Amino acid sequence: MTVPMQHDAYEISGADRVSRWLITCDHATNRVPDWVNGGDLGLPCADMARHIAYDPGAAGVSLALAKALNAPAILSRFSRLVIDPNRGVDDPTLLMRLYDGTVIPANARADKADRLTRLYEPYHDALARLAARQDDTVICAVHSFSPKLRGRRPRPWDIGILYSHTDDRLAKPLIAALRQEDWCTGENEPYSGHLPGDAIDRHALQHNRPNVLIELRNDLIADAAGQTLWAQRLAPILSDVLAKTGL
């Protein structure tokens, strides 16, 4: 059994796997390191269990999908509320003080530079090393989304595929394949597929690596059974679509 590699900022599973695929999970956990305000952002447990703190279910899907594809996976080990690894350094939402109606008390006077140095950059450095392990890496980022934000309409999608307008080589055929499965599939829904400096931009677009970002509705992957099911559904489709694109 392979023991995951752990750092305060990230976990790597299957580092020795040989697939072209690299699975990333930027919002894997709601963990707050002890050195960040004593491990407490000042929020009640109920808020830390919400999507504002991490992507529920995404870590389990990422690990199962990586195993099914014989690929390595890298997962963050800090809450997106501590600092968001899927944002550029200059993005105003990198360190949130208010998110979906919730104030984050410990972020009012946070030391952003310290969090960048100890968490954000080590995560991205490790991701960069994994992505560069071979010349033909394909990046698949796994996220999840809430069925409904406060004060908004319910979101109808089972799954969303996000991509930048500068590179739809893998995303467009994947969307078509998922819709053939009769799943309600969003195209750049429920979010826009391109944020300058985000993880896909930094590690895929800037290196011309094929890429796709998958968003799963988190009530569908709320337990281990759902996470495994979706990983098993997605793995053969991803492999087939990649092969057909000739990328």
Side-chain angles (χ1 to χ4, degrees):
M1 178 178 177
T2 302
V3 178
M5 299 167 53
Q6 281 198 348
H7 179 280
D8 201 34
Y10 59 84
E11 172 183 328
I12 295 174
S13 178
D16 57 348
R17 293 175 184 153
V18 298
S19 172
R20 291 180 62 193
W21 291 98
L22 170 58
I23 308 303
T24 68
C25 190
D26 301 322
H27 301 148
T29 178
N30 59 3
R31 173 179 175 264
V32 180
D34 290 343
W35 54 267
V36 177
N37 200 50
D40 186 353
L41 293 177
L43 295 176
C45 292
D47 276 333
M48 290 303 296
R50 294 174 57 214
H51 71 98
I52 64 170
Y54 74 125
D55 283 355
V61 173
S62 296
L63 291 171
L65 182 59
K67 186 175 181 180
L69 291 170
N70 193 33
I74 181 168
L75 297 82
S76 66
R77 294 195 66 232
F78 54 94
S79 170
R80 69 197 301 172
L81 293 180
V82 174
I83 196 161
D84 193 334
N86 194 37
R87 296 294 185 270
V89 174
D90 297 323
D91 193 307
T93 65
L94 176 69
L95 201 161
M96 297 288 279
R97 292 170 173 82
L98 175 69
Y99 194 167
D100 193 23
T102 297
V103 174
I104 299 91
N107 286 356
R109 297 178 180 84
D111 186 340
K112 183 170 77 170
D114 191 39
R115 297 185 191 184
L116 281 167
T117 299
R118 298 176 68 169
L119 297 172
Y120 182 96
E121 290 301 346
Y123 174 79
H124 282 289
D125 288 348
L127 201 167
R129 288 192 297 271
L130 279 174
R133 75 198 191 286
Q134 53 194 54
D135 294 334
D136 58 353
T137 295
V138 182
I139 294 180
C140 176
V142 177
H143 292 255
S144 72
F145 65 92
S146 173
K148 184 178 183 298
L149 295 180
R150 288 177 174 175
R152 306 285 183 89
R153 293 180 179 179
R155 292 161 159 174
W157 309 284
D158 300 314
I159 187 170
I161 302 301
L162 276 54
Y163 61 92
S164 167
H165 64 281
T166 65
D167 186 3
D168 61 6
R169 294 172 295 170
L170 188 56
K172 286 280 193 179
L174 179 59
I175 290 166
L178 295 175
R179 287 176 173 167
Q180 287 181 351
E181 298 293 326
D182 203 27
W183 298 328
C184 186
T185 303
E187 181 171 354
N188 277 334
E189 297 285 1
Y191 308 109
S192 169
H194 182 63
L195 288 172
D198 68 6
I200 287 290
D201 186 17
R202 182 168 177 168
H203 300 286
L205 298 178
Q206 293 180 23
H207 301 273
N208 197 35
R209 293 178 178 127
N211 64 90
V212 66
L213 190 153
I214 294 173
E215 289 270 3
L216 285 159
R217 206 176 71 224
N218 65 33
D219 60 323
L220 300 176
I221 53 171
D223 56 24
Q227 294 156 22
T228 300
L229 174 64
W230 275 94
Q232 291 175 343
R233 285 172 167 175
L234 288 169
I237 296 173
L238 286 167
S239 296
D240 184 59
V241 167
L242 180 61
K244 288 178 177 177
T245 62
L247 291 168

